[in-house]
Amino acid sequence: MSKEEELGKGASFGRTARDRRSERGRAKARAQGDIPPYELVRLQLDEVAATPLNPRRRFGTDEELAHFGEELRAAQLHACVAVSRSAYLALWPDHAEQLGESAQYVLINGERRLRGARHVGLTELDFVVRDDLAATRETFINHLLQENLSREDFDVIERARGVQSLVSVCAEKEGQRGAQSRAAEQLQRDRSWITNQLILLVLPEELQTRLSEGTLPERDGRVMGRYAKDHPDLDADGLLAHLEETKQAEQEKKAKAAAALTGVGSSLEKVSAAAPGIPSPSAPVDAARADESQGAEVSETDGLLSADNKPAPPVREEPAAPHEHEAPLDQLNAFRRRAVRFANEMVGLEETYRAAAKADPDLAESHLKEIMERLDRVGRHLKPRQKQPQEAL
């Protein structure tokens, strides 16, 4: 065998000039940012360790992991994401013992894939090594949490713990006061959403377990969490008792609001009875059509009924009245047309109120109360003339 043939067996001599030019082109493209600075690699699983920072603790039963592992054996559709050991330990040097001596890479995304593969005896998987995701603690935690937030089965306590980790690393840069705002910015969520996650971690372990299992609604957990923050001595039973009292109070409030809603219709009926020609709420559409058939013109600028029963300005300029009693009659007719429009606009109030009460009972009740007060203020001052019985001839 010639010397050239022996040298040709080496890796560098085995590549053609075209291959070497391609590598230089890729290096230039990476430097310019045209292609990402990472590639798909095949790693041995005993070289990879899961990060202790992963908030996820539930990865499925043995049967589910076995099924998932066999799917990976057939085809791995998504690569796992990891960072090098050195990049990770530069951020968390105290994790060296937890990673183990053999681990040269630390997983950031794909722990379920890693566990499923090991469960069925696979020895390697496809990875993308992304040391840029370990540039800072905040970057690492944010990416770790973002991937989990997109999962439908990410239970609420796991999510809350992940948010808490992000808030903690944000506090290292922003201080405790600005940490939650910084975390909200990173996750593209409202600051109130961050607060709602953290409040769940105030609850006793027993209630957190029920939240994770899905036997306790997250909304109930937030109610108890806010109360537990102000009453740290309460145990799970005490918090559940407070939750029951809160729900009972809400039911009573809704019942009062429903009763108040019934009064809206009667208030409108009073307004209708006070001035003939104003339709009742039960048939606003027909009344509007009748108004049109009589030639009444309803101005687009007409407002709602006056809250304080003061005369409203005329709808439009009218010619001078030949008799002094016609001017107030014209004004009253303008009020009548506005009442017709108002009665039509009130259609659907009950349905809208009930939907709003589900979102924010207190605010919905406040709005309804104001509507009723204004209607009552109008109807209270209107006393229609009672017809006198005709005297017997």
Side-chain angles (χ1 to χ4, degrees), residues 129-193:
V129 179
R130 295 281 308 273
D131 280 0
D132 58 307
L133 298 180
T136 65
R137 288 190 178 198
E138 185 178 323
T139 302
F140 188 92
I141 295 293
N142 181 38
H143 189 84
L144 178 67
L145 189 56
Q146 287 281 11
E147 194 247 3
N148 281 308
L149 287 177
S150 63
R151 289 178 29 239
E152 294 182 357
D153 59 342
F154 195 28
D155 79 56
V156 294
I157 294 300
E158 289 179 345
R159 183 179 63 202
R161 288 172 181 158
V163 171
Q164 185 182 49
S165 297
L166 181 59
V167 170
S168 297
V169 296
C170 288
E172 297 172 359
K173 181 181 297 184
E174 299 291 335
Q176 196 62 43
R177 178 171 296 182
Q180 292 191 28
S181 296
R182 175 67 177 173
E185 180 183 343
Q186 290 291 320
L187 298 177
Q188 298 180 345
R189 302 291 181 110
D190 293 333
R191 190 179 183 279
S192 60
W193 184 86

Side-chain angles (χ1 to χ4, degrees), residues 30 32 89 118 162 178 191 214 231 250 278 290 292 383:
R30 289 173 189 152
Q32 294 175 344
L89 291 181
R118 286 173 172 169
R191 190 179 183 279
H231 303 81
E250 286 183 357
I278 298 179
E292 291 174 0
K383 295 181 179 180

Side-chain angles (χ1 to χ4, degrees), residues 46-49 83-86 101-106:
D46 57 8
E47 296 181 330
V48 182
V83 300
S84 66
R85 177 189 182 92
S86 58
E101 296 181 359
S102 62
Q104 300 304 310
Y105 301 93
V106 181

Side-chain angles (χ1 to χ4, degrees), residues 223-234:
V223 172
M224 290 187 290
R226 286 190 287 269
Y227 194 71
K229 189 175 182 180
D230 297 329
H231 303 81
D233 296 334
L234 281 180

Side-chain angles (χ1 to χ4, degrees), residues 79-333:
C80 303
V81 182
V83 300
S84 66
R85 177 189 182 92
S86 58
Y88 183 85
L89 291 181
L91 301 177
W92 287 281
D94 55 323
H95 288 185
E97 185 176 348
Q98 292 175 269
L99 298 181
E101 296 181 359
S102 62
Q104 300 304 310
Y105 301 93
V106 181
L107 197 67
I108 184 171
N109 291 154
E111 185 167 351
R112 184 166 177 260
R113 273 162 281 174
L114 182 68
R115 289 173 178 262
R118 286 173 172 169
H119 195 80
V120 297
L122 296 181
T123 58
E124 57 183 18
L125 284 175
D126 291 331
F127 284 80
V128 170
V129 179
R130 295 281 308 273
D131 280 0
D132 58 307
L133 298 180
T136 65
R137 288 190 178 198
E138 185 178 323
T139 302
F140 188 92
I141 295 293
N142 181 38
H143 189 84
L144 178 67
L145 189 56
Q146 287 281 11
E147 194 247 3
N148 281 308
L149 287 177
S150 63
R151 289 178 29 239
E152 294 182 357
D153 59 342
F154 195 28
D155 79 56
V156 294
I157 294 300
E158 289 179 345
R159 183 179 63 202
R161 288 172 181 158
V163 171
Q164 185 182 49
S165 297
L166 181 59
V167 170
S168 297
V169 296
C170 288
E172 297 172 359
K173 181 181 297 184
E174 299 291 335
Q176 196 62 43
R177 178 171 296 182
Q180 292 191 28
S181 296
R182 175 67 177 173
E185 180 183 343
Q186 290 291 320
L187 298 177
Q188 298 180 345
R189 302 291 181 110
D190 293 333
R191 190 179 183 279
S192 60
W193 184 86
I194 300 293
T195 303
N196 285 336
Q197 303 311 305
L198 299 181
I199 202 67
L200 300 177
L201 301 179
V202 178
L203 295 171
E205 190 68 29
E206 176 185 343
L207 296 179
Q208 290 190 29
T209 300
R210 290 183 58 180
L211 284 167
S212 294
E213 294 173 346
T215 58
L216 183 66
E218 183 180 351
R219 181 178 183 273
D220 292 350
R222 291 199 299 268
V223 172
M224 290 187 290
R226 286 190 287 269
Y227 194 71
K229 189 175 182 180
D230 297 329
H231 303 81
D233 296 334
L234 281 180
D235 59 7
D237 290 337
L239 292 173
L240 288 170
H242 168 73
L243 176 65
E244 190 62 31
E245 292 174 0
T246 302
K247 287 185 174 182
Q248 185 175 354
E250 286 183 357
Q251 290 295 331
E252 292 175 357
K253 187 180 295 185
K254 288 180 180 179
K256 290 180 180 179
L261 188 61
T262 305
V264 174
S266 62
S267 296
L268 286 174
E269 294 288 353
K270 290 179 182 179
V271 176
S272 300
I278 298 179
S280 66
S282 60
V285 177
D286 292 340
R289 289 175 179 170
D291 192 59
E292 291 174 0
S293 67
Q294 294 173 5
E297 297 181 5
V298 180
S299 170
E300 292 298 325
T301 59
D302 285 348
L304 299 179
L305 289 174
S306 172
D308 52 6
N309 205 33
K310 292 182 180 179
V315 178
R316 61 179 180 273
E317 299 256 345
E318 298 286 353
H323 301 288
E324 60 181 15
H325 69 274
E326 290 186 0
L329 286 176
D330 288 342
Q331 287 186 345
L332 185 60
N333 190 38

